[in-house]
């Protein structure tokens, strides 16, 4: 029997185009009653895009790299650009929030109210609450002044509080992480203490050398530039010129330096590597400039609790493929306060706002969503995205700055990545519903104004919203917070999504062969800015 108080309101049911007589639980009710709403939450909303055979946002996740036989990521799912392989349950789109028009819901929220909301620090009290909770057994990740990045990090990205966290400048993943589509954000990395010390003493130059070696091996580079490092402090000839001097370049080697004994492994992080990722509201200052707001929508955490070799990972990928072949629903290994184990060596945890805006740990069903991106898709590097997209070498150490980056191409391509993405998708987001991006960068006939995109001065110009859109997106997300309806989707859409399937027809191909592409999420930061038109087709 369904308790009436747990039902969606009639208005909500009508806005979802549901039968008003059909009982529908609220998201909170599913959690409170331990009822699984969507056992296929690993299928993100973007997978239900109406492609019409030609609009392709799928390539950014689903890739097969047949030429790189040493690549540890062996998912090889590029074929999903051409076929739907959903379970019977996954065929139905469960992301209800995509189909709600929030225009009326946000009308009562004033600009001043939302400005006050997004400019409030909810991270510091969250950390204080965890520290004071003697029953908490998960990680605690304090960074002093994290809500205000200019106070939290120095120019090289090192946290000023000595916590070991280091911010880096990276190109946001297309297009979910573009501010124009709802959120700002940042990512920090931290290596274990023995990667930071020599003889038991912390040495920034040892730490910087090891951070650079992680980047070098993840990207498969023979050498990499660094801020100046005194090799005498490290005790290693980093540039391999036969003497210990001050250097600004490191060459590939077998082992990390300092007190660690760990060996470098191609495209894999060392055991103990941590990432902290904050997803924030869109800040708008008094001059209309867009910035990373103090208030956080989510705090996401990953730690590599176990190193798995390429061979060991192969068995994990095989297990996943076998389970899918037997049409088993995806399994998530829950660890209580510690989050979830993605079974590829990573522990993942996540925190999200409660009704009052205070950060709380995500429920099991909410955490399962994380595996959709950080488990088995073909484009990732060791189940991660952002660090492989870092501005390579010396220039990439420091807090994310969209104004410092231009639209460089992906590795192996010659045309700007975001220009290419908008051409292939046919819009400024996966669903082709960002009207501001369509008006700003597309011609009246619906084609991208490529020349105008090429003339853009920075990523800031390309992918940040107007102040008015930023405020509306913040308000729309706040309504989701008040509903606590994350199980139904976290995308801050303003109106109903029209280019989204409610149910997948598996007899149809997502994309015609000529609209499937090979792509690498790494960037070519050395590319000439006078880039030319080029699309690389998916090889069959």
């Amino acid at each position: 029997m369904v308790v009436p108080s747990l039902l969606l309101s009639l208005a909500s049911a009508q806005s979802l185009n549901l039968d008003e007589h059909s009982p529908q639980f609220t998201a909170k009710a599913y959690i409170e009653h331990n009822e699984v709403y969507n056992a296929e939450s690993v299928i993100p909303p973007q997978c239900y895009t109406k492609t019409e055979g030609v609009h392709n946002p799928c390539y950014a996740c689903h890739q097969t790299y047949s030429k790189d036989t040493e690549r540890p990521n062996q998912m090889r799912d590029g074929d999903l650009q051409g076929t739907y392989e959903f379970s019977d349950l996954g065929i139905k789109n469960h992301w209800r929030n995509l189909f709600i028009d929030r225009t009326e819901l946000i009308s009562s929220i004033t600009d001043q109210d939302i400005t006050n909301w997004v400019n409030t620090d909810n991270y510091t009290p969250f950390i204080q609450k965890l520290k004071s909770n003697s029953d908490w057994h998960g990680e605690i990740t304090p960074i002093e002044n994290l809500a205000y990045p200019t106070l939290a990090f120095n120019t090289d990205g090192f946290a000023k509080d000595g916590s070991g966290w280091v911010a880096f400048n990276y190109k946001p993943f297309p297009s979910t992480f573009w501010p124009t589509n709802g959120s700002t954000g940042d990512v920090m990395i931290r290596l274990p203490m023995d990667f930071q010390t020599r003889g038991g003493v912390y040495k920034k130059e040892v730490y910087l050398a090891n951070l650079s070696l992680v980047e070098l091996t993840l990207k498969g580079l023979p050498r990499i530039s660094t801020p100046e490092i005194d090799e005498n402090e490290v005790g290693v000839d980093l540039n391999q010129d036969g003497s210990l001097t001050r250097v600004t370049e490191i060459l590939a080697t077998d082992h990390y330096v300092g007190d660690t004994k760990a060996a470098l492994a191609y495209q894999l992080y060392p055991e103990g590597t941590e990432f902290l990722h904050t997803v924030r509201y869109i800040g708008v200052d008094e001059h209309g400039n867009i910035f990373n707001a103090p208030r956080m929508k989510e705090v996401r955490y990953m730690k590599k609790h176990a190193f798995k070799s390429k061979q060991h990972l192969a068995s994990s990928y095989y297990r996943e493929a076998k389970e899918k072949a037997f049409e088993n629903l995806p399994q998530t290994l829950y660890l209580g306060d510690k989050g979830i184990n993605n079974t590829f060596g990573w522990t993942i945890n996540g925190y999200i706002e409660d009704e009052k805006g205070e950060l709380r740990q995500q429920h099991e069903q909410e955490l399962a969503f994380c595996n959709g991106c950080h488990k088995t898709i073909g484009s990732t590097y060791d189940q991660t995205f952002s660090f492989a997209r870092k501005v390579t070498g010396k220039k990439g150490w420091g807090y994310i700055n969209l104004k410092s980056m231009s639209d460089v191409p992906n590795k192996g391509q010659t045309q700007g990545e975001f220009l290419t993405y908008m051409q292939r998708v046919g819009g400024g987001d996966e669903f082709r519903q960002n009207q501001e991006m369509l008006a700003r960068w597309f011609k009246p006939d619906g084609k991208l104004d490529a020349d105008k995109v090429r003339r853009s001065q920075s990523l800031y110009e390309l992918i940040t919203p107007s102040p008015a859109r930023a405020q509306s997106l913040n308000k729309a997300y706040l309504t989701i917070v008040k509903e606590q309806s994350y199980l139904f989707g976290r995308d801050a859409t303003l109106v109903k999504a029209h280019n989204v399937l409610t149910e997948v027809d598996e007899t149809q191909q997502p994309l015609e062969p000529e609209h499937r592409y090979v792509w690498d999420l790494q960037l070519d930061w050395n590319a000439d800015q006078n880039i030319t038109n080029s699309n690389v087709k998916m090889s069959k």
Side-chain angles (χ1 to χ4, degrees):
M1 176 179 178
V2 179
V3 182
S5 63
L6 301 180
L7 302 182
L8 285 173
S9 68
L10 175 59
S12 296
Q14 289 173 336
S15 70
L16 291 171
N17 197 26
L18 299 170
D19 179 357
E20 65 184 73
H21 301 292
S22 175
Q24 297 291 333
F25 280 114
T26 64
K28 284 186 68 175
Y30 278 102
I31 290 175
E32 291 168 356
H33 291 260
N34 201 28
E35 290 284 341
V36 176
Y37 168 66
N38 180 13
E40 281 281 22
S41 62
V42 296
I43 304 175
Q46 290 75 15
C47 286
Y48 294 96
T49 298
K50 287 182 182 177
T51 65
E52 298 173 350
V54 298
H55 302 294
N56 184 355
C58 313
Y59 73 89
C61 288
H62 302 300
Q63 286 293 326
T64 296
Y65 302 99
S66 56
K67 293 182 180 179
D68 188 353
T69 58
E70 296 303 312
R71 188 180 179 91
N73 187 333
Q74 297 164 62
M75 189 61 191
R76 302 184 180 118
D77 61 356
D79 61 299
L80 293 182
Q81 294 183 43
T83 182
Y84 289 111
E85 293 184 5
F86 290 175
S87 67
D88 290 344
L89 179 65
I91 287 174
K92 181 181 178 181
N93 185 348
H94 288 78
W95 302 108
R96 291 188 203 164
N97 279 343
L98 290 175
F99 305 105
I100 293 180
D101 187 327
R102 296 190 177 270
T103 306
E104 192 67 30
L105 294 172
I106 69 175
S107 62
S108 62
I109 306 172
T110 68
D111 286 351
Q112 190 58 58
D113 285 342
I114 198 65
T115 297
N116 293 342
W117 180 264
V118 304
N119 286 334
T120 302
D121 172 13
N122 62 345
Y123 173 80
T124 301
F126 159 67
I127 292 296
Q128 292 170 345
K129 183 171 67 174
L130 290 185
K131 285 182 175 180
S132 63
N133 183 359
S134 59
D135 294 326
W136 175 252
H137 301 292
E139 82 291 337
I140 302 177
T141 56
I143 300 179
E144 188 175 344
N145 294 316
L146 182 57
Y148 310 100
T150 56
L151 300 177
F153 304 100
N154 66 19
T155 54
D156 289 333
F158 285 72
K160 295 178 182 179
D161 63 1
S163 60
W165 288 105
V166 185
F168 53 91
N169 196 19
Y170 65 99
K171 195 175 184 184
F173 191 78
S175 68
T176 301
F177 292 98
W178 293 355
T180 184
N181 290 324
S183 303
T184 60
D186 53 28
V187 183
M188 287 65 67
I189 186 173
R190 182 166 66 180
L191 300 181
M193 187 56 68
D194 58 353
F195 284 74
Q196 305 179 36
T197 60
R198 182 186 177 200
V201 178
Y202 173 82
K203 291 184 178 292
K204 180 180 177 180
E205 300 199 325
V206 168
Y207 194 15
L208 184 55
N210 280 327
L211 287 165
S212 299
L213 287 170
V214 170
E215 182 180 0
L216 179 149
T217 194
L218 189 79
K219 295 180 177 180
L221 302 173
R223 62 185 69 227
I224 196 167
S225 66
T226 70
E228 187 174 82
I229 296 176
D230 185 350
E231 291 177 324
N232 291 286
E233 291 293 307
V234 181
V236 175
D237 181 12
L238 297 171
N239 68 347
Q240 301 174 27
D241 67 350
S243 60
L244 299 182
T245 58
R246 291 185 175 275
V247 300
T248 56
E249 184 179 65
I250 292 179
L251 271 62
T253 186
D254 294 331
H255 288 78
Y256 293 100
V257 299
D259 290 335
T260 181
K261 305 299 181 184
L264 275 70
Y266 179 60
Q267 294 187 356
L268 295 173
Y269 299 100
E271 184 175 330
T273 300
E274 298 171 277
F275 284 102
L276 192 65
H277 170 35
T278 76
V279 182
R280 306 181 183 222
Y281 286 83
I282 309 168
V284 182
D285 71 15
E286 63 272 21
H287 304 295
N289 297 309
I290 302 300
F291 67 99
N292 286 13
R295 176 173 289 277
M296 298 171 192
K297 296 178 174 181
E298 297 184 47
V299 174
R300 300 173 176 179
Y301 173 80
M302 292 181 68
K303 181 174 183 178
K304 192 164 188 179
H305 64 262
F307 179 84
K308 291 191 174 186
S309 66
K310 175 176 178 278
Q311 292 73 26
H312 194 176
L313 287 170
S315 64
S316 296
Y317 282 109
Y318 175 74
R319 181 187 65 248
E320 288 286 319
K322 185 177 179 181
E323 289 178 358
K324 190 167 186 177
F326 280 102
E327 299 184 359
N328 294 332
L329 289 173
Q331 302 296 309
T332 299
L333 182 59
Y334 297 108
L335 305 173
D337 289 348
K338 295 182 183 297
I340 59 176
N341 181 341
N342 78 345
T343 70
F344 284 76
W346 291 93
T347 299
I348 302 172
N349 215 346
Y351 309 87
I352 205 160
E353 289 178 286
D354 66 13
E355 298 98 321
K356 297 179 181 179
E358 297 177 4
L359 290 166
R360 63 163 175 82
Q361 187 186 31
Q362 293 185 41
H363 183 267
E364 291 180 355
Q365 291 191 60
E366 295 164 334
L367 277 173
F369 173 75
C370 304
N371 273 339
C373 292
H374 294 290
K375 194 171 185 180
T376 53
I377 60 172
S379 68
T380 57
Y381 282 70
D382 201 356
Q383 279 64 50
T384 69
F385 297 85
S386 58
F387 198 64
R389 297 175 61 80
K390 172 187 172 293
V391 177
T392 298
K394 175 182 177 179
K395 294 181 179 180
W397 294 113
Y399 192 76
I400 185 170
N401 181 3
L402 298 180
K403 292 182 178 179
S404 72
M405 291 179 279
S406 58
D407 188 27
V408 297
N410 296 92
K411 180 180 175 182
Q413 299 193 5
T414 55
Q415 178 174 268
E417 176 190 40
F418 290 174
L419 186 157
T420 300
Y421 183 86
M422 287 190 283
Q423 282 180 332
R424 293 175 176 177
V425 172
D429 66 309
E430 295 94 339
F431 306 135
R432 310 187 299 284
Q433 68 181 37
N434 185 327
Q435 296 302 312
E436 186 169 273
M437 289 292 280
L438 291 172
R440 185 180 292 176
W441 302 113
F442 287 76
K443 299 176 182 179
D445 63 3
K447 293 183 179 179
L448 182 69
D449 190 338
D451 289 337
K452 186 178 181 181
V453 173
R454 291 189 184 98
R455 290 194 299 270
S456 63
Q457 298 299 304
S458 68
L459 296 188
Y460 178 91
E461 182 181 346
L462 267 179
I463 62 172
T464 55
S466 66
R469 177 172 170 80
Q471 295 282 53
S472 294
L473 289 169
N474 288 336
K475 293 174 184 179
Y477 185 80
L478 179 56
T479 65
I480 295 175
V481 172
K482 295 303 182 182
E483 295 167 353
Q484 291 291 286
S485 61
Y486 306 119
L487 290 185
F488 302 157
R490 336 182 168 191
D491 296 280
T493 51
L494 300 175
V495 297
K496 292 181 182 179
H498 297 289
N499 295 320
V500 179
L501 300 169
T502 56
E503 192 166 308
V504 171
D505 180 356
E506 290 189 296
T507 66
Q508 300 294 314
Q509 292 183 333
L511 294 148
E512 299 297 333
E514 63 270 25
H515 294 286
R516 305 171 196 167
Y517 306 102
V518 173
W519 180 80
D520 194 310
L521 65 77
Q522 275 199 56
L523 288 310
D524 181 3
W525 292 105
N526 296 317
D528 188 329
Q529 298 309 297
N530 295 315
I531 42 189
T532 58
N533 185 24
S534 174
N535 277 343
V536 181
K537 300 292 190 245
M538 170 71 76
S539 57
K540 295 297 288 179

